[in-house]
Amino acid sequence: MWYLILGCDAPDTLPQRLAARGEHLARLQALRDAGRLLLAGPLPAVDAEDPGPAGFTGSLIVAEFEDLAAAQAFAEADPYVKAGVYASVEVRPFRQVLP
């Protein structure tokens, strides 16, 4: 089943985000390579492709997991969680309708 993972950044954590980005992306690329990633990306803090020093307010991941517990375990092990980037993480079942 598909699950939505929404990580909300803590204030002023852009340096920690940038430092943990490589490890974070490696996990997402592994999901993609396994055919289990629908989409993923950051949420810019301002209306711009590159928010610069404004940074990001969080990240969104939609991926396939065996069950809710597996999705939660994946989210809790995210490098952004370990680096203190995310103030909170929400995991919910997701059902794709379109496209």
Side-chain angles (χ1 to χ4, degrees):
M1 180 163 182
W2 294 104
Y3 292 89
L4 177 147
I5 301 171
L6 178 62
C8 296
D9 286 17
D12 303 316
T13 56
L14 183 58
Q16 294 95 311
R17 176 182 267 274
L18 295 175
R21 186 170 187 263
E23 189 179 352
H24 172 80
L25 290 178
R27 296 177 81 234
L28 294 176
Q29 289 165 345
L31 282 177
R32 181 201 60 206
D33 294 348
R36 297 177 37 213
L37 182 66
L38 184 62
L39 65 91
L43 307 173
V46 295
D47 188 13
E49 183 74 22
D50 179 359
F56 301 90
T57 60
S59 300
L60 174 71
I61 300 166
V62 178
E64 186 177 33
F65 294 94
E66 181 178 317
D67 55 28
L68 181 60
Q72 289 171 327
F74 181 87
E76 291 168 5
D78 193 293
Y80 286 169
V81 171
K82 294 178 182 181
V85 174
Y86 291 155
S88 65
V89 178
E90 184 177 351
V91 180
R92 301 174 123 191
F94 177 81
R95 189 174 67 123
Q96 183 180 5
V97 174
L98 294 172

